[in-house]
Amino acid sequence: MIQLTPLIRWQLPGSDGAEIDARLLPLLAAINGGANLGVAVAQVGLSYRHGWGLLHAQAALLGVPLVDMQRGKGVTLTAAGQQLLQRTAGAEQRLLRKAAAIEIAPLPRAAAKPLRLVIHASHDLALIALRERIAPASGLELNLEFKGSLEALASFAAGHADLAGFHIPLGSHPGALAPYLRWLKPRQHRLIGFIEREQGLMLPPGNPAHVRALRDLAVKQLRVINRQRGSGTRLLFDQLLHESGIDGQALRGYSTEEFTHLAVAATIAAGKADAGFGVKAAALQYGLEFKTLEHERYLLACRSEAAEQPAIRRLRQAIASPHMLQVLRSLPGYAGANSGSLLSFARAFSTSRGGVQKRT
């Protein structure tokens, strides 16, 4: 028999309060156990960059630092980090005393193992849902690691992943596709349609600075929280700034970076920035104002010889499934667009939009 025990998950107050990332507590526990940050993030299966980004994003969400890093002294937990760890341990002990463990029979030995795929991809909320909710029911195990779009494509080209996830703008932006095409070869790679989504300005509730366009960021000298260099969102933001005649380096906070859409939204929600650029669904999840500036297409790249192999065929079926469509309908600003279809390069990189009607 397999024994299951209950665990504690924390979330902010309210019916739609954001949840604390499940990876945070194991990471804090590893740091509290004396591990340096490099060892601690490895223990929870994260890269150093994403581990540090997780700590920073959760601190922004909670409004208090969780770790203290000092040169020559390594990283330690702050009083808030210690308290969160101790309160969780105490709550779990009390829960175990009151809630009986559940025993279930294991699957028969003949049960098929899930097909496994390694995906390096730009951060996306629908992709998270695909990994956590859709893929397991389809007999798939997705080892998903978030990177910037260009970093994901470079990693894929180097043979470190089965697929790369990246996104491209659908508007007319001369030269915008060149950085992506550097890593993709029509004879060697195939492209799978995933979703289309809205990108734009995230702003505090009620838009107190009355931002109407990108130029207001500079004119009103607003504090900006940016995405990391090499991410598709940062490339698009820089492109839009250039087309608007705005020097990004002159913006307050331009060099301050986060690694996910949710981290950008959390920073603004915490009052530490006045504006950021990201997807609509992340902004609305944190109760922010949102102004759409561009629509974009999210694609998955695979190797030509693997496109018809069982694992990728099953992935394409999962992406095209009614369950995935339900996920997209729950994400504001998202739409299905040739979801799960193998696309020619000309079709994938066209600027025309397509797909189901978006939920706004």
Side-chain angles (χ1 to χ4, degrees), residues 136-283:
S138 302
L140 283 170
E141 178 185 340
L142 302 185
N143 186 343
L144 176 61
E145 182 175 341
F146 287 127
K147 303 173 178 286
S149 284
L150 297 184
E151 187 182 358
L153 285 169
S155 181
F156 166 71
H160 301 314
D162 300 308
L163 300 104
F166 64 101
H167 48 97
I168 58 172
L170 294 181
S172 179
H173 305 288
L177 301 182
Y180 304 95
L181 293 172
R182 172 188 174 190
W183 301 104
L184 296 168
K185 310 298 180 186
R187 292 186 179 180
Q188 300 176 23
H189 303 129
R190 300 296 300 274
L191 300 176
I192 302 169
F194 184 41
I195 54 94
E196 289 180 2
R197 64 187 191 180
E198 294 179 42
Q199 288 257 44
L201 288 175
M202 300 183 186
L203 303 163
N207 189 11
H210 303 290
V211 174
R212 294 180 176 83
L214 276 175
R215 62 179 176 273
D216 289 332
L217 303 182
V219 171
K220 298 175 184 289
Q221 297 185 336
L222 301 180
R223 298 169 299 163
V224 171
I225 180 69
N226 210 346
R227 285 294 303 278
Q228 81 276 20
R229 187 173 300 178
S231 68
T233 297
R234 171 69 169 268
L235 290 173
L236 177 56
F237 184 49
D238 286 346
Q239 181 79 22
L240 294 175
L241 288 175
H242 175 74
E243 293 172 2
S244 298
I246 301 170
D247 179 8
Q249 296 293 339
L251 295 177
R252 291 178 62 195
Y254 178 83
S255 60
T256 305
E257 300 177 349
E258 284 293 356
F259 292 90
T260 67
H261 296 279
L262 292 175
V264 170
T267 300
I268 299 169
K272 297 183 178 180
D274 303 313
F277 190 78
V279 297
K280 182 176 183 178

Side-chain angles (χ1 to χ4, degrees), residues 8 10 81-94:
I8 295 293
W10 301 104
Q82 289 277 6
Q83 185 182 44
L84 179 59
L85 205 57
Q86 292 168 1
R87 292 289 178 87
T88 300
E92 287 180 345
Q93 291 174 3
R94 292 192 296 273

